Amino acid sequence: MPTIITIAQMKGGVSKSTIAFNLAFTYAQSLEVVVIDTDLQSSVSQLLQNNEKIKLTPLPKEITAMQNIKADVVIIDTPGYLSAQLPEILKLSDIVLIPTKAGFWDFTALKSMIAVVNTARQYNTKLKWGVVLTMVTNNSKLSKEIKGLIEELQVQIFKTQITQRVSYVRSLIMGGILNTDDLKAKTEIIELADEILTVLE
């Protein structure tokens, strides 16, 4: 049975697909990875077509069939809204990452997403989850303020933050951040991948 990692947030533009894409390539260095793209924009699907390292598969009609996928890791990219499938996906996931920018509307969407996760955890008591701060600007007062508001919600925040870097845009055309020369961005993704495994353990 694979480890199922879902990346979800009920707002677009928070780097869900970028994180899914780069985590897939990071784990694929040593593990068999399958990606499921449930976003109607199909951004990750387009980028991974004909890729030899990572297998792309559609969401099974019977969502429970995800547990039968032959892989070490299944990464699920989701749309920026509450889809009909998301609650069922969360019930079968091992961990859900909630990427969040430092913005008022992002914080509002985060609170709605937390409610969805808490409902799923009533059915899936083993579900791990946490907030990943993305597009962070170093020394930004707003970033610190939003992080403080998130902490008041008493949710887990991943130590690894994804900073605002052009390299993440370039990574989409270069086969992942590991193929760029941005050491800091590489470190962020590798540390996030490691932190996810630590949380799962």
Side-chain angles (χ1 to χ4, degrees):
M1 185 179 298
T3 295
I4 300 176
I5 302 171
T6 297
I7 301 170
Q9 170 60 300
M10 291 163 58
K11 184 183 180 302
V14 294
S15 300
K16 289 191 305 295
S17 297
T18 300
I19 290 174
F21 181 80
N22 281 297
L23 283 178
F25 276 99
T26 302
Y27 286 129
Q29 300 298 307
S30 58
L31 301 171
E32 187 175 354
V33 178
V34 168
V35 170
I36 297 176
D37 186 357
T38 68
D39 191 341
L40 293 177
Q41 293 184 7
S42 303
S43 302
V44 174
S45 296
Q46 294 177 47
L47 293 168
L48 291 178
Q49 284 181 355
N50 304 316
N51 185 276
E52 296 180 359
K53 284 189 175 182
I54 301 166
K55 183 179 178 183
L56 186 67
T57 189
L59 183 69
K61 291 182 179 179
E62 294 292 334
I63 296 180
T64 54
M66 290 193 306
Q67 297 174 308
N68 301 323
I69 293 175
K70 294 182 179 180
D72 297 309
V73 176
V74 173
I75 296 176
I76 304 175
D77 188 27
T78 62
Y81 54 85
L82 179 57
S83 66
Q85 299 100 339
L86 182 58
E88 299 306 312
I89 289 172
L90 295 180
K91 291 177 185 178
L92 297 168
S93 298
D94 293 289
I95 187 169
V96 54
L97 275 63
I98 309 175
T100 300
K101 290 194 303 182
F104 175 77
W105 298 117
D106 302 272
F107 179 69
T108 301
L110 171 61
K111 291 194 290 185
S112 298
M113 188 66 223
I114 290 171
V116 174
V117 172
N118 283 332
T119 298
R121 293 180 74 212
Q122 295 177 17
Y123 300 89
N124 179 3
T125 57
K126 295 182 179 180
L127 177 63
K128 307 289 186 181
W129 67 290
V131 174
V132 180
L133 295 176
T134 63
M135 304 174 76
V136 174
T137 303
N138 290 330
N139 301 318
S140 166
K141 182 178 179 181
L142 180 60
S143 295
K144 293 177 181 177
E145 289 174 349
I146 294 297
K147 184 178 180 181
L149 290 174
I150 295 172
E151 289 172 344
E152 289 178 6
L153 297 176
Q154 296 183 335
V155 301
Q156 176 172 332
I157 303 176
F158 280 83
K159 293 178 182 178
T160 307
Q161 297 183 355
I162 304 302
T163 54
Q164 179 74 47
R165 309 183 74 83
V166 175
S167 298
Y168 284 116
V169 179
R170 294 180 61 235
S171 73
L172 303 177
I173 59 175
M174 297 186 68
I177 200 70
L178 299 184
N179 287 331
T180 72
D181 56 3
D182 190 330
L183 180 59
K184 290 185 178 180
K186 291 180 185 180
T187 300
E188 288 175 355
I189 291 297
I190 291 170
E191 288 182 350
L192 179 59
D194 289 343
E195 192 172 356
I196 290 168
L197 297 180
T198 299
V199 170
L200 286 169
E201 290 174 355

